[in-house]
Amino acid sequence: MIRILAIGKMKEKRLSALTDDFVTRAKKWCPIEVIELKDSNKDKEGEAILRKLDSFSPGRIIAMDEHGNNPTSRNVAVILSQNRSLTFVIGGPDGLSESVRSRADGELSLSKMTFTHETARFLLAEQIYRGLSINNGHSYHRD
């Protein structure tokens, strides 16, 4: 099971449609769900994230943070193959609270550049699909 736990709704309809498309494609290889939590301030968002993590068995928790490790797509594929249950957490516009970052088992960065949380969600969904396609021998990823 892969979860994307994200703060805020996808307001940009085109990015939302693209994200949904990659999530749908990924589901042929692995159960995946996107959970949206209400945006607020960073501390309240952190409390909501921790409550949600406590409400299910999150397995390994990966905080998406600009200061995290910057993996290749093949590294993402390895992470996906080594974990039966994985939750990626995307914060709101102000990022993740320290309490969420300390609860996480690791931190990944999509880039050294800054993206909106909507763009981050789209990019993460695409990389999850890409990683699963690598692991399943699909031709989507090309070296």
Side-chain angles (χ1 to χ4, degrees), residues 1 33 36 45 48 54 57-58 61 70 80 87 89 93 96 98 110 117 120 127 135 137 141 143:
M1 165 62 87
E33 73 175 314
E36 293 180 336
E45 290 169 355
D54 288 340
S57 176
I61 301 167
N70 196 354
L80 295 172
T87 300
V89 183
L96 293 169
E98 186 55 39
L110 293 168
H117 59 285
Q127 284 301 296
N135 292 341
H141 179 76
D143 285 322

Side-chain angles (χ1 to χ4, degrees), residues 39-110:
D39 55 346
S40 183
N41 66 56
K42 188 170 21 176
D43 291 330
K44 286 184 181 179
E45 290 169 355
E47 291 169 7
I49 289 168
L50 293 174
R51 276 193 307 275
K52 184 53 86 171
L53 290 172
D54 288 340
S55 75
F56 57 79
S57 176
R60 187 163 182 223
I61 301 167
I62 304 294
M64 302 305 296
D65 185 86
E66 65 183 327
H67 302 294
N69 294 325
N70 196 354
T72 66
S73 295
R74 289 209 174 269
N75 296 141
V76 171
V78 169
I79 291 167
L80 295 172
S81 71
Q82 292 177 340
N83 295 278
R84 293 180 52 87
S85 181
L86 191 56
T87 300
F88 293 92
V89 183
I90 300 174
D94 296 320
L96 293 169
S97 70
E98 186 55 39
S99 60
V100 172
R101 292 176 65 213
S102 65
R103 170 88 183 266
D105 299 302
E107 294 182 356
L108 293 182
S109 171
L110 293 168

Side-chain angles (χ1 to χ4, degrees), residues 1-61:
M1 165 62 87
I2 297 171
R3 290 183 182 94
I4 300 173
L5 181 55
I7 296 295
K9 295 212 176 284
M10 295 281 286
K11 295 173 187 157
E12 173 53 55
K13 294 193 184 315
R14 291 173 293 183
L15 272 180
S16 180
L18 290 169
T19 302
D20 291 345
D21 181 54
F22 281 115
V23 168
T24 299
R25 289 190 210 186
K27 285 181 179 180
K28 69 181 163 189
W29 292 309
C30 179
I32 182 170
E33 73 175 314
V34 177
I35 301 165
E36 293 180 336
L37 298 176
K38 185 178 178 183
D39 55 346
S40 183
N41 66 56
K42 188 170 21 176
D43 291 330
K44 286 184 181 179
E45 290 169 355
E47 291 169 7
I49 289 168
L50 293 174
R51 276 193 307 275
K52 184 53 86 171
L53 290 172
D54 288 340
S55 75
F56 57 79
S57 176
R60 187 163 182 223
I61 301 167

